[in-house]
Structures are given as C-alpha cells and as structure tokens.
Amino acid sequence: MARVGEAINEFFGIDDDFVRAIPARAWMTDLLIAVLLSGLSLILVAANLEIPAYSSYFNHWQSPAFIISAGVLIALRRRFPIGIMLLLGCVHLIVASALQPTTVALASMQVLYFLAIYTAMAFATRRDLLMLCAIGVLLSVAAWLVMSSTVLSTTGPPEYRQGLWAYLAGSLLNIAFFGSALVLGRLSWLQAKTTTELRESHAVVERQSAQLAEQAVLKERLRIARDLHDSVAHYISLIGIQTAAARRAMATKPDAASESLLSVEDMSRDAIAELRALLGSLREGDAPVGAGNSLDTVENLCRAADRDGLSVSYHLVGDPDAAHTLTPTQTGALVRIAQEALTNVRRHSTAHRVRVVVRLGESTELEITDDGHPVPGSSGSGLGLVGMRERVFALGGTLDAGPRATKGFRVLVRLPRRLGS
C-alpha cells in the first residue's frame, strides 16, 4: 500500500513545489475552443431536433442551456482549473446526464469534459487538492456511465440499446478516454516543469559566465601591479643611467650631457604615456595590459610549442631593429597574446601546423594562424579571447579573431608604434 501511495503522489506531483505559469493570452485560446465546441454541439442538437425519431430525446431549451453553460465553464478552465473540473466533471455531468443524457453523449460535449480534466491536471497549483478532486470526478464519470447506459438502454431509441459486451466496450472506451485526459495533462505539466527548469538553468549558466568574465578581467587587473612595476622600473632605470651620465659630462662635455638629458626627456614622456594608458584603462573599466620581454620571447614560445605533432613556425617581417622601439608594455602584451593563442590551438584544435608572424612597420602586427578544426566538446570558456581583446584595446590597437575562410583559426593583432600615436 505504501508503494501505491507513493506512486499516486508521484503521478499527481503532490510533493513537487513547481507552479506552472499561465500563458499571457491563454484566455483567447480558451474562448475560441469554447465557442467552437459549443457551436458544434448546438448544431448537432439542432440537426437531431429535425429528425422525428430523435427529436423527443433533445429538449429545446435544456440541451442548449447545458451546452452553453459547459462552454462558459471551459472558457475559464485555466484560471480556475480544479473548480472547473469539479463543476464540469461532477455537477454538470451528473445533472445533464439525468436530464439530457443524449446531449451529454455528443462527441463535442465529451471533448469539453476531457479538456476540463486535462487542464486541471496540467495547470493546478494545489496538487493534493487536485488528487482528491480527480478521484471524485472519476467516480462521477463512472456514475454517468451507469446512468446514461441504463437510461439509453431502457428509454432510448432501439439503436441505442446495447447488450453486455457493448456496455463493457463502452465503459472501457470511456475509462481510456477520460484516463488519457489525466495522463496527457500530467505529461503537459511535466514538460512545462522541464522547460522552466531548463530556462532557470540557462539563466544560472549565463550568470556564472558573466561572473567568470568578471573574474577574468579582475585577474588581468591583478597583473597590473607586476606589469606597471616592470614598465616603470625599466624607464626609471634608464633615466637614472642617463641622468648620472649627464651629471658627469656636464662640466667637460656639455653636448653629451645635453643628449643624455634629451634621452631622459623622451623616456619620461614614454613612461607618462604608458602610465596614462594603463591607468586610463582602469578608470574606464578595461582590463590592464601586460609588460614583458622582447620579441625574442615570442620566438622562444614558438620553439617550445613545436613538439608533439604540432609544427610551429615563426617569421619576423620588417626591420628587426624596429623591435627596440616597442615599449615593454607592448612587447609584453604580444608575448602573452601569442602564448594564449598557442595554448588555445593545442587544447581546442586539431591543427598540425601553426604560423606565427610578427610584422614591424608603421604599426606592429602579430598574426597566428593554424590549419585545424575545433575539437568537439572543447570550445572553452572564451575568457582567453576576452583577455586578449582587453589588452589590445587598452593599448589603442585592434584584435581580429575568428575562423578562416578555408580552414583553421586566425588571431590578428595590430598595435600602434607608440601609445597615443
């Protein structure tokens, strides 16, 4: 018995706290269904009244009254699901069966009763009350079967009179008909529950993705301490060296001292430009950029990645001496972007060859291309590209990352030669 009780509770969802929301314009659909089914029932009654053999079994005012009242109730089925099921499945069904059994037996009227039970099962909020009312409705349906069959067999037309097997077949058909209303209503309720849970899960995933993106930006911001220290220390060290040289040469070699002071002035401007770019990025909410080593580090990264079936080539286009005009922050950003791109190729691609090209001209370009396809199920979080983009934008550059027209993936970075240029 305990298992039976648990099965009944699970069937009706008594222990479930899910509440199904009513669609915005459900009343329009319900009204349309009520009008169509009620109108069809009225037409069938009118047609039977014109047949002398059947006209005595349909009342001119009772039949339309039962039909119209059922239509009005079904139009409110989703606003008061349990109440409508009780009124239609118990009160209306029993009274109409007693007074106008031939009207209740119309197929269109049976659909109205079916919808009442189905809607209660699909939209009821109080699932415990639903179970009790559904049992009462099923008993009412059983009473209606006995009543209608008895009345039709004794007082109805000869063709309505039926034997034991016909009675049994009709009973099983009605049990299956109204039982399917409960089953289909439960399936509709479960589907709505699943859809709602998926929507909520999707919202949670979106919130978590946003949090991960914020954490990625915060992680980049935490690197600003090291990056800013490296950049400023680089310039301060050179300024100190040039200032000491100017002090020593000021008395004996004023021209050399003047050149040293000019170098100090240029380096001071460069340092201020980088500081403004970095701190300005923080004020605007962008992620900071990184400082690093020379472009030789990019070549070393390519050599280290050239293993385990992945061929990585490095090409430097332009004057190699022009690399010395890049600021430490710019070279650091290029190094970290190259490192992230090579890591992404190895983790998320089937590539066998990667080509890394650095172009030195009026602007500095870093291009990483591969010949692979994405590995299924390893799309990643996309936070690596977020970090790349924020680094490049903070330096006044551009980033173009996406699939190639033929095959593979491309990351293209363009940086101005000097910050603010």
Side-chain angles (χ1 to χ4, degrees), residues 21-69:
I22 300 176
R25 296 190 176 183
W27 66 270
M28 297 180 63
T29 303
D30 295 339
L31 181 60
L32 179 61
I33 291 175
V35 170
L36 291 176
L37 291 176
S38 299
L40 179 60
S41 299
L42 291 172
I43 293 173
L44 292 175
V45 169
N48 281 280
L49 287 173
E50 293 180 351
I51 302 175
Y54 300 144
S55 60
S56 60
Y57 301 102
F58 293 92
N59 187 277
H60 287 77
W61 67 269
Q62 286 184 355
S63 293
F66 285 128
I67 292 172
I68 293 174
S69 60

Side-chain angles (χ1 to χ4, degrees), residues 190-382:
L190 290 175
Q191 183 179 9
K193 176 185 174 183
T194 302
T195 302
T196 301
E197 290 176 348
L198 288 176
R199 190 182 301 113
E200 292 175 352
S201 299
H202 183 67
V204 171
V205 170
E206 287 185 344
R207 288 196 299 268
Q208 291 178 347
S209 298
Q211 292 175 357
L212 289 175
E214 291 177 0
Q215 292 174 2
V217 173
L218 179 60
K219 186 177 180 180
E220 290 295 319
R221 287 178 173 274
L222 293 177
R223 292 176 182 173
I224 189 62
R226 298 193 307 270
D227 298 342
L228 192 57
H229 174 271
D230 293 341
S231 179
V232 172
H234 170 79
Y235 284 111
I236 295 301
S237 299
L238 294 178
I239 289 173
I241 293 173
Q242 294 293 339
T243 303
R247 178 179 57 80
R248 294 189 184 95
M250 189 173 295
T252 58
K253 298 178 181 179
D255 293 337
S258 178
E259 291 180 0
S260 297
L261 292 175
L262 287 174
S263 299
V264 169
E265 182 180 358
D266 291 338
M267 286 184 287
S268 299
R269 287 178 180 149
D270 291 340
I272 291 173
E274 289 204 24
L275 287 173
R276 285 177 177 172
L278 293 171
L279 298 178
S281 297
L282 292 176
R283 284 195 300 268
E284 295 170 2
D286 295 331
V289 297
N293 302 318
S294 66
L295 289 181
D296 293 339
T297 308
V298 178
E299 184 176 4
N300 293 334
L301 285 173
C302 295
R303 291 176 179 173
D306 187 11
R307 58 182 175 81
D308 299 334
L310 182 64
S311 175
V312 182
S313 61
Y314 173 77
H315 306 276
L316 179 62
V317 180
D319 185 6
D321 294 334
H324 299 294
T325 63
L326 296 175
T327 66
T329 308
Q330 289 175 322
T331 56
L334 294 176
V335 168
R336 289 191 177 177
I337 291 173
Q339 184 179 25
E340 180 70 25
L342 291 174
T343 301
N344 288 341
V345 171
R346 187 170 291 279
R347 288 180 178 176
H348 310 301
S349 175
T350 61
H352 297 289
R353 288 185 296 274
V354 181
R355 189 168 182 264
V356 180
V357 181
V358 176
R359 301 183 184 91
L360 301 174
E362 294 182 357
S363 63
T364 302
E365 293 185 358
L366 172 65
E367 183 179 30
I368 301 102
T369 57
D370 65 73
D371 63 348
H373 295 286
V375 175
S378 64
S379 58
S381 63

Side-chain angles (χ1 to χ4, degrees), residues 87-122:
L87 289 175
L88 272 177
C90 291
V91 180
H92 192 282
L93 182 63
I94 293 176
V95 174
S97 296
L99 299 178
Q100 288 293 312
T102 51
T103 301
V104 175
L106 293 174
S108 52
M109 289 295 292
Q110 294 295 298
V111 174
L112 288 174
Y113 296 127
F114 180 94
L115 286 176
I117 299 174
Y118 166 85
T119 305
M121 195 67 183

